[in-house]
Amino acid sequence: MKYLKKINKGFALSIIVLLILIVYLFAVEVGRNSDKPEIEKACKEYIATLDKYASMPENIQKLYGANDISNKENINDNVSKTIDNKMKELENELKSKMIDNELAIKMQKDILNSYVKNSNDVFEAVVTAFNRDITKIKKFAFDDDQVTVTLDAKVSQDIKYLEYTETEAKELSKKSDFNPQGDTITLKKVDGTWKVVYANLTYQDYNDSQSMVYYN
């Protein structure tokens, strides 16, 4: 009988522990679900901040033709310095959107800096407007106080470019859209607020064989 009582006590304790675990997991899941709207909002605000800096700065969107080739080095130096200064503004804005980590902020700033410099050439074409809209949140992958959001989006760009003929260079414009899938943003909850840790976002259409030549 004593043996059976021990078994019954052990079984009862196991049931209690299991119930506590179920209640805990349920509470965690409810908390995570209630956090999802705030997480999505944080992602959209972060993307909107990047969008402001993903196009060529307005004061250097001018295109230069063949008559300016002799001054190309000075023009490009000015463009590069202007972009660098604009990215310093971005870096300051990211401090309110991201975790308090200088390396993480610098990494995200450098990614966008590289994109802007590599996708614009004032002697060929410049991106004058950039917009990324989230079309679908595919997954929230939680890990303690962090979450990785997987998303699909639509990226739209306004592009100004030069088209050369035998007699002149015409300045034209076009729109370019593509739909990156499976991009991710990782966030961490800091003092009750979701902050971005790292974002892996697509900035060019890799399905386009001339993805680096935006005006074609």
Side-chain angles (χ1 to χ4, degrees):
M1 291 295 292
K2 289 182 179 180
Y3 178 71
L4 289 175
K5 286 181 179 180
K6 287 181 179 180
I7 292 177
N8 290 336
K9 285 182 180 179
F11 181 72
L13 286 172
S14 297
I15 293 297
I16 292 171
V17 170
L18 182 60
L19 288 173
I20 292 173
L21 180 61
I22 290 172
V23 170
Y24 169 76
L25 292 175
F26 179 76
V28 169
E29 188 62 25
V30 169
R32 287 175 172 177
N33 284 333
S34 66
D35 275 340
K36 286 179 180 179
E38 283 299 315
I39 293 169
E40 184 173 351
K41 181 183 176 184
C43 289
K44 288 180 177 179
E45 289 178 351
Y46 179 76
I47 285 172
T49 298
L50 295 182
D51 284 355
K52 288 194 301 180
Y53 295 89
S55 59
M56 195 69 147
E58 189 173 352
N59 60 328
I60 52 170
Q61 290 181 359
K62 177 184 175 181
L63 293 174
Y64 296 87
N67 293 335
D68 301 294
I69 291 294
S70 61
N71 199 31
K72 185 173 183 178
E73 185 176 346
N74 289 333
I75 291 171
N76 283 336
D77 283 346
N78 178 60
V79 167
S80 181
K81 289 176 182 177
T82 303
I83 293 173
D84 287 340
N85 289 334
K86 200 69 177 175
M87 290 301 152
K88 289 177 182 177
E89 295 178 20
L90 169 63
E91 194 167 5
N92 288 329
E93 283 205 47
L94 290 180
K95 290 177 181 178
S96 66
K97 306 291 183 186
M98 297 185 66
I99 59 171
D100 186 14
N101 184 303
E102 289 185 7
L103 182 60
I105 293 170
K106 183 178 183 300
M107 185 181 298
Q108 293 300 293
K109 183 261 293 183
D110 287 347
I111 289 171
L112 194 60
N113 190 18
S114 177
Y115 161 72
V116 173
K117 287 184 176 179
N118 290 329
S119 64
N120 291 280
D121 184 340
V122 292
F123 287 87
E124 294 182 352
V126 295
V127 178
T128 58
F130 186 102
N131 184 72
R132 184 190 307 272
D133 287 321
I134 296 176
T135 56
K136 182 180 180 181
I137 300 289
K138 300 176 76 173
K139 184 171 65 174
F140 293 87
F142 287 91
D143 183 11
D144 292 332
D145 59 349
Q146 289 197 175
V147 61
T148 297
V149 180
T150 303
L151 56 90
D152 293 343
K154 178 181 178 181
V155 172
S156 301
Q157 300 172 94
D158 291 344
I159 300 160
K160 182 168 66 173
Y161 65 98
L162 290 177
E163 183 178 85
Y164 289 92
T165 66
E166 292 182 0
T167 57
E168 62 179 344
K170 290 184 178 179
E171 187 175 297
L172 303 174
S173 61
K174 64 171 286 186
K175 288 187 177 290
S176 175
D177 298 336
F178 67 99
N179 300 284
Q181 298 183 342
D183 285 354
T184 60
I185 301 177
T186 299
L187 306 95
K188 182 177 183 178
K189 200 169 192 179
V190 180
D191 298 329
T193 302
W194 288 98
K195 300 282 190 177
V196 173
V197 177
Y198 180 80
N200 184 17
L201 302 173
T202 304
Y203 281 96
Q204 62 190 77
D205 186 0
Y206 291 101
N207 293 319
D208 184 350
S209 61
Q210 297 190 34
S211 59
M212 293 303 294
V213 186
Y214 289 88
Y215 53 96
N216 281 350

